[in-house]
Amino acid sequence: MREKIPHIWNVLWIAVLAGINFSPALASIGFGIIAAIGIWQLFIDGKIIRLLPFISLSLVLGVLEVINNVDQSDIFKKLLLYLPWFLLPAMTYSFHAYKQYWKRNIVFWILPTVWIILASIGYFISDYKFYSQMVLESKPIPLYSIVYHIEFSFLVTIQIFLLWVTLRDYSIPLFGGKKFLWVIWTILVIGIHVLSTRTGVLAFWIGMFYIFIKQGKTFNIKPQFIIMGLVAVVSAAVIIPSLRNRIVNTWEDISAVVSGDDLNHKSFGQRWEAWQAASVSWSDNFIHGVGSSSLNEAMSEGFEKNNTDLNTTNQITPHNQYLQWGLEFGILGLLTWLVTIFIVFRNNIREKSWSGLLVIGLIAIIFESLFERQAGMIALVLLVGIVESTSNKK
């Protein structure tokens, strides 16, 4: 039975990455069993103590929720949502131990996302003028997935780097062959630019910049190919309607914030107002926050104190994970969170992995509260899993 565990773990991840697009319950069940396998692996390897700081985080957040008079049912739901992070060492430990299994079968991890992207691009092309205009107005392009469009783009971006890490490992034979997988990688990259959201595209280019800095000397790329690549990027920004309109929309959003114009229906502008509202409310409850059940009420008070011009329907939640943690759990909760993030960096820097790739996660949660949705949590666990799989452990 023990020799079958890596195969089961591999199948579970395939089910999670496919299931999250149509069945959150299936993804949750798979995630839970993956965590159990990870705990078992840590135990038999004598490294179960790695869970201690993350479990301690759950206790701190639970106590803060009690202090803020949050109902027990709401506390349970919140902590259950964060459970993958509380068990993060267990969720990611097997990425290194089982890498010969998942890398060999990476095509099955990626194909469901490729199908969704191709179908969604086809839907976009069917009326590209209308959907390009939607992007210009800060509205998402429809997807054949129940995952929220920002989390979907970030999850696809992490899968792009998961596939990149696999393709750079020449020691493991890959099902489907490298040429086919490079075609799939290209489809994923095109997909996040056509079905563009700023979070996913920004994460992709930050990650690619890091990889180029870290591995650039091994690529042996001739200067003319670099020039051709830059021309292709600029051309794509001009030719692809959705990407072009996303750039225009971003410029208009930032300009509206700087000039003090109407920020209603401006994606970044509404975030800017939400960040200020969250900051004001947090300053009034700085130590232990307001509790997760009082988030919306605290945000409304913040908007009112700032005399926002946003319509009520455009007054959003923080859309910034750091501010949301601060507002809900205070500085005590935020600092405890940051300690666990520091531990992830410290462990992987010491083991000489691609730990710098974690920066894309730290930046992404500035613009979206990715820990508040299941798909975002899966993406972040995968990101740490990539780093874990590239460590120099024995």
Side-chain angles (χ1 to χ4, degrees), residues 177-191:
K178 285 188 177 290
K179 290 182 179 180
F180 176 64
L181 289 174
W182 275 119
V183 171
I184 287 180
W185 187 87
T186 303
I187 291 172
L188 293 176
V189 171
I190 292 173

Side-chain angles (χ1 to χ4, degrees), residues 133-154:
Q133 182 64 29
M134 286 181 62
V135 173
L136 194 60
E137 297 174 2
S138 295
K139 298 174 182 176
I141 296 174
L143 300 169
Y144 283 98
S145 170
I146 63 174
V147 177
Y148 187 59
H149 67 287
I150 295 177
E151 274 78 13
F152 180 82
S153 73
F154 188 69

Side-chain angles (χ1 to χ4, degrees), residues 147-206:
V147 177
Y148 187 59
H149 67 287
I150 295 177
E151 274 78 13
F152 180 82
S153 73
F154 188 69
L155 182 57
V156 173
T157 299
I158 302 307
Q159 287 178 282
I160 287 172
F161 291 115
L162 191 72
L163 186 51
W164 178 279
V165 167
T166 302
L167 289 166
R168 296 293 292 173
D169 187 344
Y170 299 104
S171 64
I172 298 176
L174 307 179
F175 187 89
K178 285 188 177 290
K179 290 182 179 180
F180 176 64
L181 289 174
W182 275 119
V183 171
I184 287 180
W185 187 87
T186 303
I187 291 172
L188 293 176
V189 171
I190 292 173
I192 63 166
H193 287 82
V194 174
L195 309 171
S196 56
T197 65
R198 281 183 286 257
T199 303
V201 173
L202 179 64
F204 170 76
W205 285 107
I206 291 174

Side-chain angles (χ1 to χ4, degrees), residues 49-62:
I49 195 172
R50 288 190 177 193
L51 286 172
L52 184 59
F54 296 85
I55 297 299
S56 298
L57 169 64
S58 69
L59 296 176
V60 170
L61 298 186

Side-chain angles (χ1 to χ4, degrees), residues 222-360:
K222 296 180 180 179
Q224 57 265 38
F225 289 114
I226 295 178
I227 295 173
M228 290 172 62
L230 292 174
V231 171
V233 170
V234 174
S235 299
V238 174
I239 295 172
I240 299 176
S242 58
L243 182 58
R244 181 182 64 243
N245 287 357
R246 180 64 67 193
I247 295 171
V248 172
N249 170 263
T250 300
W251 176 257
E252 290 178 348
D253 269 20
I254 295 174
S255 298
V257 170
V258 172
S259 60
D261 294 340
D262 182 11
L263 298 181
N264 283 288
H265 306 295
K266 300 288 186 183
S267 178
F268 179 75
Q270 290 176 187
R271 278 174 168 76
W272 182 261
E273 288 284 296
W275 295 347
Q276 295 185 78
S279 299
V280 167
S281 289
W282 180 19
S283 65
D284 293 337
N285 305 273
F286 186 69
I287 302 299
H288 54 75
V290 300
S292 59
S293 61
S294 300
L295 175 67
N296 291 332
E297 180 182 349
M299 288 298 297
S300 296
E301 292 176 358
F303 282 118
E304 184 176 351
K305 288 181 179 179
N306 287 341
N307 296 316
T308 184
D309 292 326
L310 290 180
N311 299 329
T312 303
T313 54
N314 294 326
Q315 295 177 11
I316 58 178
T317 53
H319 281 64
N320 177 304
Q321 193 67 69
Y322 303 108
L323 283 174
Q324 183 151 347
W325 284 334
L327 181 55
E328 290 185 353
F329 304 110
I331 191 64
L332 295 177
L334 176 59
L335 289 178
T336 311
W337 271 109
L338 294 178
V339 166
T340 62
I341 292 174
F342 170 76
I343 289 171
V344 173
F345 266 99
R346 184 200 63 187
N347 288 345
N348 288 289
I349 287 174
R350 186 177 60 214
E351 291 157 356
K352 298 181 180 179
S353 64
W354 289 18
S355 55
L357 205 58
L358 294 171
V359 171
I360 67 175

